[in-house]
Amino acid sequence: MSHQGLSTSVPKRLTPVAGTPLWCDARDFGLRGDGVTNDQPALAALVDRLGEGYAADGRARTIYCPPGIYSIRDAGTVWRSGVSMVGAGPAATRFLLSNEGNRSDPVPLAFWTTVQHGADRDRHIAECTFADFEIDGSGVAMTAYSYLAKGLGLQYVVRGVFRNLYIHHTGATGLGCDFLQDTVIDGVVVVGCGRLDNGLQMGGAGIGIGVGGWGDVERCTITNCTTLANGTNGIFLELQKPDWTPPRGYRIVGCHSQANRFGISDWGTDGLVVSACTLTGNLEAGFDVSANGTASVAGRGGILADCVIDRNVGNGISMGNTPGPYTIRGNRISGNGGYGYHEHDQGNGFRGAATNVVIDGNEFWANGLDAVRIDQPMVDAFVVGNRIRDNGRRCAPASVGSGDSVRFGRKAVTDMDANWPTDGHRGKVVEVGGRTAVVAGNSETRLTLAEVRPDSSTAWNEDTPPPGSHYRLPAPPRLRAGVTVNAAVDSATVRANRVWDTGAGTQTHGLWITERGSCVACRIEDNDLAGNAEAALRLDTPPVGGRWTRNHTDEG
């Protein structure tokens, strides 16, 4: 019996073939681990030898690499089924990748790909574990960017395990493996990867998984991982071909994603489950659903639940070009520099209305702009049971300054004559001549600036401005509501939300329907909209049809 090309029959237990032990110490087979010797040829020979043994008898092998620095130079190692590699721990067993002798070779530690090796469903990698070691990719430089400059780059993996790895400063994605079936990624820490990616090229993430190769179901769990300061995404899942079915079966649980361009992105799965994660300090968004990936297909049917999405420089949640459905439930969405939740057109993929998006039981507070902003048509949306308070914190008036009181650092601006409201400029762009930088937060006299790209030493697009230079901060948007409808919204349900301002005076309205927006046949019921800075409601476009009942406003 088989399922999706995978055998479910009980394998035969065969005696290991002679000369290929089931467990071996790498140093007994030519690897030195002295940081000087190029250990790649010996590693490649050992992988081939053990892979032949697995092909002959079906018994998986394990390479143990004792503490040491294993230099892997000028070529990656083509991996084989049935071969695992484990170390003595990330602080003890370290693989140092470099390509000084061949700058055109990206030198992944291990790879098996469709383009280079003919990987597919029938020629997959199976029964492989990578655990308890470090990959340092800082020694790889390229004449031109290559998405293969990864730490690990395997495609079509069955029953893979990636556990307790520390991968850092690779040129492209740190752990970039595609089409994972019955696979677990557990306790992997990825830092500063994608350093050669300009931010718009393929890969460049901490953990990047291409999806769709096995069909409509790919069973993979990513758990307890940390991704920090990676070039594009902390973690992303990306459909690889536009005519493939977005697969179900991916889960991301208990992960921490910080200071990447995006925290976690769904670029083409169906039913992705993201739960109990912390997404903070990411430059564009904490959580992104869009068609920005290779196939220009956005995720749909996913669930984002019980996460902390806090103090990202841009939006907390960016939702674009998905047909829906999607469920956003039970999250803390706070302190982000842009919108808490933003439904908008990002320019790629599906251009119709998103259907059956659910925003349920979340806490929205202290976001820079509106808590929920709808700039793209939606049908049958549910906004239910949310607590929305004190948003619109990007409220500081326009500001200029120059002279002796003004100083500039690589990631800061100080004006001792200023008296700015705390975080009132968060998310704005400060301009100094032709130089620009994004404000991550501010005190009365100091702007803290976001890095121009992840893991950068500066926030400026050019050199740091000289002392005393003239700077300019723009005015804020005048209206900053708890919920803003700025597109056609039909048959929505907005029920039992509490939307208010506790006294900060930054959230101007509870619900605002703009001149561009519309609300047709919607059910707006049982909401408490009293206590906002200007008014409970602003209806620049009157609603049409539906039910507006039992809502509490300042007028009762």
Side-chain angles (χ1 to χ4, degrees):
M1 178 181 177
S2 66
H3 182 68
Q4 291 188 333
L6 307 181
S7 173
T8 58
S9 61
V10 178
K12 296 180 180 179
R13 295 188 175 275
L14 302 176
T15 302
V17 298
T20 55
L22 298 181
W23 185 94
C24 58
D25 187 315
R27 289 183 175 173
D28 294 337
F29 291 84
L31 281 79
R32 300 292 295 275
D34 58 11
V36 177
T37 304
N38 183 6
D39 286 321
Q40 193 280 330
L43 176 61
L46 180 55
V47 169
D48 276 341
R49 181 176 178 178
L50 300 184
E52 290 296 331
Y54 173 79
D57 60 27
R59 305 287 299 277
R61 270 74 174 172
T62 298
I63 302 169
Y64 170 66
C65 297
I69 299 175
Y70 296 83
S71 181
I72 304 296
R73 298 201 294 268
D74 300 332
T77 298
V78 180
W79 214 254
R80 300 286 298 270
S81 279
V83 181
S84 295
M85 185 162 66
V86 300
T93 300
R94 176 184 178 195
F95 291 94
L96 179 60
L97 311 182
S98 65
N99 64 349
E100 292 182 4
N102 184 5
R103 289 301 190 195
S104 63
D105 197 304
V107 192
L109 176 61
F111 68 141
W112 173 257
T113 71
T114 297
V115 173
Q116 284 73 30
H117 314 112
D120 61 23
R121 294 189 190 188
D122 296 324
R123 301 188 74 238
H124 58 260
I125 288 282
E127 314 293 358
C128 297
T129 293
F130 298 87
D132 303 321
F133 58 79
E134 173 184 344
I135 301 174
D136 181 349
S138 61
V140 174
M142 302 296 299
T143 54
Y145 176 75
S146 172
Y147 66 89
L148 290 174
K150 304 177 180 181
L152 296 169
L154 307 173
Q155 293 183 317
Y156 289 98
V157 178
V158 178
R159 292 183 295 278
V161 176
F162 303 86
R163 185 182 64 240
N164 192 28
L165 302 172
Y166 173 37
I167 305 172
H168 60 99
H169 297 104
T170 57
T173 298
L175 196 160
C177 297
D178 303 336
F179 320 133
L180 306 181
Q181 197 68 281
D182 301 318
T183 291
V184 174
I185 302 171
D186 181 17
V188 175
V189 177
V190 192
V191 177
C193 292
R195 58 182 174 79
L196 301 180
D197 191 316
N198 65 10
L200 301 174
Q201 293 165 301
M202 295 174 61
I207 298 173
I209 310 299
V211 305
W214 289 105
D216 63 352
V217 176
E218 293 179 354
R219 299 173 292 273
C220 177
T221 298
I222 303 168
T223 183
N224 302 323
C225 294
T226 297
T227 56
L228 176 65
N230 298 288
T232 54
N233 297 272
I235 303 171
F236 80 106
L237 306 175
E238 178 185 48
L239 190 69
Q240 294 298 288
K241 293 186 179 181
D243 57 338
W244 283 359
T245 301
R248 292 167 286 123
Y250 282 94
R251 296 177 294 175
I252 302 174
V253 181
C255 294
H256 184 105
S257 196
Q258 180 175 347
N260 312 281
R261 181 183 171 201
F262 299 101
I264 294 176
S265 293
D266 182 359
W267 291 353
T269 71
D270 182 0
L272 171 66
V273 176
V274 179
S275 66
C277 294
T278 299
L279 312 177
T280 184
N282 298 288
L283 300 186
E284 289 199 28
F287 184 72
D288 178 65
V289 178
S290 70
N292 286 335
T294 298
S296 295
V297 174
R300 72 285 312 273
I303 299 173
L304 174 68
D306 302 324
C307 295
V308 173
I309 305 169
D310 179 65
R311 295 196 70 87
N312 296 285
V313 177
N315 296 325
I317 299 170
S318 177
M319 188 81 67
N321 306 100
T322 176
Y326 228 98
T327 297
I328 311 297
R329 185 182 65 223
N331 303 284
R332 168 185 161 182
I333 305 166
S334 58
N336 300 289
Y339 303 106
Y341 173 97
H342 193 196
E343 185 80 35
H344 59 132
D345 181 2
Q346 298 193 43
N348 294 312
F350 180 76
R351 309 304 278 272
T355 61
N356 294 299
V357 173
V358 176
I359 304 172
D360 177 16
N362 302 282
E363 290 270 4
F364 291 90
W365 82 79
N367 295 290
L369 299 173
D370 310 5
V372 177
R373 174 86 179 197
I374 300 171
D375 282 325
Q376 186 71 0
M378 301 182 78
V379 175
D380 290 325
F382 279 70
V383 182
V384 178
N386 299 283
R387 293 159 300 282
I388 300 172
R389 66 184 186 276
D390 297 335
N391 297 283
R393 300 302 290 268
R394 192 191 297 179
C395 61
S399 179
V400 297
S402 61
D404 293 341
S405 67
V406 177
R407 294 291 183 272
F408 300 92
R410 288 184 296 177
K411 298 182 182 180
V413 177
T414 301
D415 185 348
M416 298 308 296
D417 289 342
N419 187 23
W420 298 315
T422 299
D423 286 338
H425 293 300
R426 183 192 301 161
K428 292 184 181 182
V429 175
V430 58
E431 299 179 4
V432 185
R435 302 173 177 89
T436 59
V438 178
V439 180
N442 67 272
S443 66
E444 291 183 354
T445 59
R446 179 182 174 87
L447 305 176
T448 300
L449 307 178
E451 296 171 347
V452 68
R453 56 159 290 146
D455 210 27
S456 174
S457 62
T458 183
W460 299 99
N461 63 331
E462 299 178 6
D463 294 340
T464 302
S469 297
H470 182 273
Y471 70 83
R472 174 184 175 274
L473 288 159
R478 195 185 76 77
L479 301 180
R480 303 172 301 276
V483 178
T484 298
V485 177
N486 192 44
V489 174
D490 296 346
S491 303
T493 297
V494 181
R495 179 182 295 137
N497 300 284
R498 174 74 168 103
V499 189
W500 80 109
D501 188 289
T502 65
T506 60
Q507 185 169 289
T508 59
H509 298 81
L511 173 63
W512 174 29
I513 303 176
T514 70
E515 292 182 355
R516 179 175 174 266
S518 64
C519 190
V520 177
C522 296
R523 299 159 183 83
I524 315 298
E525 302 172 319
D526 300 311
N527 300 286
D528 188 341
L529 307 175
N532 291 280
E534 293 189 15
L537 293 168
R538 177 170 174 138
L539 305 178
D540 293 340
T541 300
V544 177
R547 295 197 302 268
W548 287 65
T549 61
R550 300 185 304 277
N551 298 294
H552 180 68
T553 68
D554 298 286
E555 295 76 29

